[in-house]
């Protein structure tokens, strides 16, 4: 199967997106997506997902993005690889969905002061739509070719099936409506992003933490300011202004666009990876001991952060589930 310089397109062309969509997504993500592209989707994408104030409040409550971003990135990658590469019909894929449902329910029970955080259907639809369409929307916004029609169908089927595996606080989503096709997904995303949202302090704090982590994780010290600009561009001007993390001027925006276009063009020229993305992620995975060195247990405060003892390790299993989950 993996012969030749650009072998993924050849394999995809042999598949029917109506029946082989799971294999198509697995092949594409597993052998076409680099770790940096995954990060570009996850962190700025999360900033988009928390436009509604109570979404940001939940992320601020768990504090994982602010105090343990490396662990959060690894945990989030585990979920995505189970769903995208292992596949939604696999034991790993279905197990990851069930685990996320348990985490959401546990957090909902522990945060009665944050009602409805896991009960709005749109808050489940939008993240899946964003995961499916983010790459296409970004590339076409840069004037580059977008996702092929067969892959659009495959991505829609993937997002729709994952939606049916998830549960909100009041019950399963399997009987709820999901956008009918690719065009309906993109229309939903545009409509969701155009709604009026109110800025919140928790949104500002979490967005700042995500932007800083993305820059520090992927850019050397002299380029960290540019890395923050890349994060802002990927999140979008409206989201950046909502979270009060600033927007970029025209000259810096042009530099970011040149950087992203060059990265995409290089990816199109590079040979398809013969090593699956989960294997590549494991090579860079940090151990628990390394994570403890990187991320001492800290809590946000008005003037930065202050170390605290990890007392949550002795609390109920619900707290352990939250600590180990993607939030």
């Amino acid at each position: 199967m993996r012969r030749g310089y650009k072998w993924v397109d050849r394999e995809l062309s042999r598949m029917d997106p109506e029946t082989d969509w799971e294999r198509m997504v697995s092949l594409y993500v597993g052998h076409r997506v680099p770790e940096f592209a995954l990060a570009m989707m996850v962190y700025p994408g999360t900033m988009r997902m928390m436009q509604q104030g109570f979404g940001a409040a939940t992320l601020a409550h768990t504090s994982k993005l602010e105090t343990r971003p490396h662990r959060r990135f690894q945990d989030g990658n585990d979920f995505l690889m189970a769903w995208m590469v292992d596949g939604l019909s696999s034991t790993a894929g279905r197990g990851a969905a069930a685990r996320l449902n348990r985490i959401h329910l546990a957090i909902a029970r522990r945060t009665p002061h944050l009602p409805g955080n896991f009960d709005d259907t749109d808050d489940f639809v939008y993240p899946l739509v964003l995961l499916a369409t983010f790459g296409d929307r970004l590339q076409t916004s840069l004037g580059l070719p977008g996702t092929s029609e067969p892959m659009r169908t495959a991505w829609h089927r993937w997002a729709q099936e994952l939606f049916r595996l998830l549960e909100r606080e009041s019950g399963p989503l399997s009987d709820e409506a999901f956008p009918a096709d690719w065009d309906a997904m993109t229309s939903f995303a545009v409509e969701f992003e155009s709604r009026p949202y109110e800025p919140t302090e928790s949104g500002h704090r979490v967005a700042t933490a995500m932007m800083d982590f993305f820059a520090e994780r992927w850019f050397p010290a002299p380029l960290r300011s540019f890395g923050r600009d890349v994060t802002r561009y990927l999140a979008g001007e409206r989201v950046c202004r909502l979270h009060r993390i600033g927007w970029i001027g025209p000259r810096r925006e042009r530099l970011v666009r040149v950087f992203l276009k060059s990265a995409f063009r290089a990816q199109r020229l590079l040979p398809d990876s013969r090593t699956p993305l989960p294997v590549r992620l494991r090579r860079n995975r940090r151990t628990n001991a390394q994570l403890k060195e990187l991320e001492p247990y800290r809590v946000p405060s008005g003037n930065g952060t202050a170390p605290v003892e990890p007392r949550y390790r002795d609390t109920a299993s619900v707290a352990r589930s939250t600590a180990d989950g993607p939030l």
Side-chain angles (χ1 to χ4, degrees):
M1 181 176 77
R2 300 172 191 174
R3 287 194 241 170
Y5 186 72
K6 286 291 188 182
W7 57 272
V8 170
D9 282 340
R10 184 175 67 250
E11 295 300 322
L12 291 173
S13 68
R14 298 170 179 167
M15 300 181 192
D16 180 352
E18 293 293 344
T19 57
D20 300 324
W21 57 267
E22 189 170 26
R23 291 171 55 210
M24 291 174 70
V25 170
S26 176
L27 184 65
Y28 184 88
V29 174
H31 297 277
R32 272 278 174 85
V33 175
E35 185 178 1
F36 179 66
L38 197 65
M40 286 200 310
M41 177 175 62
V42 170
Y43 275 84
T46 303
M47 291 162 65
R48 290 173 179 251
M49 293 174 198
M50 65 178 197
Q51 291 177 76
Q52 300 214 60
F54 52 70
T58 300
L59 289 169
H61 173 81
T62 64
S63 76
K64 192 168 185 178
L65 277 164
E66 296 172 84
T67 61
R68 285 163 288 154
H70 292 274
R71 186 181 295 274
R72 200 271 185 180
F73 184 58
Q74 288 187 178
D75 290 345
N77 288 346
D78 290 344
F79 278 89
L80 292 179
M81 293 305 97
W83 293 330
M84 293 178 174
V85 180
D86 292 324
L88 297 176
S89 65
S90 70
T91 300
R94 291 185 175 274
R99 181 169 169 245
L100 185 65
N101 291 335
R102 290 194 298 271
I103 291 169
H104 284 174
L105 183 58
I107 297 172
R109 287 172 174 168
R110 289 173 55 84
T111 56
H113 59 293
L114 299 173
N117 284 18
F118 299 102
D119 216 42
D120 187 335
T121 302
D122 285 359
D123 285 336
F124 289 85
V125 174
Y126 180 70
L128 300 180
V129 165
L130 191 61
L131 286 170
T133 65
F134 181 80
D136 177 83
R137 295 175 69 193
L138 174 59
Q139 290 181 76
T140 54
S141 75
L142 295 168
L144 299 172
T147 306
S148 69
E149 285 299 326
M151 278 306 304
R152 288 183 175 191
T153 300
W155 274 117
H156 171 258
R157 294 292 302 275
W158 174 87
Q160 186 178 56
E161 183 61 27
L162 179 51
F163 177 76
R164 290 170 177 162
L165 294 177
L166 299 180
E167 296 181 7
R168 55 183 174 174
E169 190 175 350
S170 58
L173 289 163
S174 53
D175 294 329
E176 297 294 328
F178 188 81
D181 53 26
W182 175 272
D183 290 340
M185 286 200 303
T186 56
S187 295
F188 177 90
V190 171
E191 189 276 327
F192 185 94
E193 292 164 0
S194 66
R195 295 175 188 175
Y197 298 110
E198 294 294 326
T200 63
E201 180 55 34
S202 56
H204 168 70
R205 197 170 73 237
V206 176
T208 299
M210 285 191 286
M211 179 174 64
D212 289 344
F213 172 72
F214 182 85
E216 291 168 10
R217 171 67 177 80
W218 293 101
F219 293 85
L223 295 176
R224 297 233 170 109
S225 177
F226 178 72
R228 292 181 180 89
D229 286 346
V230 172
T231 319
R232 290 185 178 100
Y233 183 86
L234 294 170
E237 181 175 1
R238 193 171 187 269
V239 171
C240 289
R241 296 199 185 280
L242 173 68
H243 295 317
R244 294 179 288 114
I245 59 173
W247 184 238
I248 50 182
R251 189 174 79 75
R252 288 158 63 191
E253 183 177 352
R254 284 195 296 272
L255 288 174
V256 171
R257 287 177 62 87
V258 169
F259 168 76
L260 291 174
K261 289 176 78 169
S262 299
F264 278 117
R265 285 170 174 160
Q267 183 64 22
R268 289 178 183 273
L269 293 174
L270 291 171
D272 294 329
S273 174
R274 286 166 172 75
T275 304
L277 179 57
V279 175
R280 286 177 272 148
L281 290 173
R282 284 196 292 271
R283 289 173 180 170
N284 296 325
R285 191 177 185 88
R286 292 181 168 93
T287 65
N288 283 332
Q290 290 171 324
L291 288 171
K292 288 179 181 179
E293 288 292 323
L294 277 170
E295 301 171 343
Y297 300 102
R298 305 169 77 86
V299 293
S301 69
N303 298 311
T305 56
V308 295
E309 293 299 320
R311 289 188 294 271
Y312 68 84
R313 290 184 179 277
D314 298 321
T315 59
S317 60
V318 165
R320 290 196 297 273
S321 295
T322 302
D324 293 335
L327 293 173

